[in-house]
Amino acid sequence: MKSMSVLLQVSSILWIVWGLVHILAGVMTMKGVLTDDISASIAGIADAVDPNTLQMDYPKAAGAIIGQHGFNLFWIGLVTLLSAFYIWKGNKNAIFLAAITGGLADLGYFLFMDLGNYVKFFPGTVMTLVSSLAIITSFYAYFKNRKLDRSE
């Protein structure tokens, strides 16, 4: 039982880090759009791309799309951050909420950004590994604990 608690604590810490990074990324992305520097927001997201190739006058609609992306990064980071505190306590709903929210966000990131070679390993790919490890550790603890509860 103690080892399951430690795994949930590890998962919580990983989600806290992941959540804070994504809250910051969301704020920075929205800041670029709100200050009419859409190129900076796009270069901040696609950090493996030469920023000079991304420097242009984007239509307002593109800025709105990037702004929405920043907002999504922000709220996804906030949901996983808040979930982390409940995961620490072993809350099943928080485990699954963080996994669905953060996990699916990172799946899209992996499919479109990582596989497209548009991002550097750090911080992007590292955050995908962090969320994967958070999901694996919390799921292992949850399902192992559930199995133990049923056998008693």
Side-chain angles (χ1 to χ4, degrees):
M1 281 301 240
K2 179 69 175 155
S3 64
M4 298 308 137
S5 178
V6 170
L7 289 174
L8 291 174
Q9 292 169 353
V10 167
S11 178
S12 294
I13 292 166
L14 292 170
W15 279 127
I16 289 169
V17 169
W18 192 94
L20 290 172
V21 167
H22 284 77
I23 289 168
L24 178 63
V27 168
M28 297 302 293
T29 300
M30 288 186 287
K31 178 183 173 229
V33 171
L34 294 173
T35 60
D36 215 22
D37 194 359
I38 300 166
S39 297
S41 290
I42 293 173
I45 296 165
D47 61 357
V49 176
D50 178 4
N52 293 324
T53 65
L54 301 173
Q55 195 69 26
M56 61 184 79
D57 282 331
Y58 289 93
K60 295 285 184 194
I65 292 167
I66 297 301
Q68 179 199 18
H69 175 67
F71 179 78
N72 287 341
L73 287 172
F74 179 82
W75 76 256
I76 289 166
L78 187 60
V79 167
T80 56
L81 176 67
L82 294 173
S83 294
F85 297 101
Y86 292 96
I87 292 170
W88 187 284
K89 298 176 182 181
N91 183 288
K92 172 184 79 164
N93 293 335
I95 290 168
F96 286 96
L97 180 59
I100 290 167
T101 306
L104 288 177
D106 265 351
L107 177 60
Y109 183 89
F110 176 76
L111 292 173
F112 294 100
M113 301 302 290
D114 274 323
L115 293 180
N117 291 318
Y118 298 115
V119 292
K120 295 178 183 173
F121 183 74
F122 183 82
T125 306
V126 169
M127 288 296 106
T128 300
L129 296 172
V130 166
S131 70
S132 299
L133 188 56
I135 292 168
I136 290 166
T137 56
S138 63
F139 275 20
Y140 179 80
Y142 171 74
F143 288 110
K144 187 74 169 175
N145 196 34
R146 192 171 157 197
K147 185 177 176 184
L148 291 173
D149 287 345
R150 287 185 176 174
S151 66
E152 291 176 355

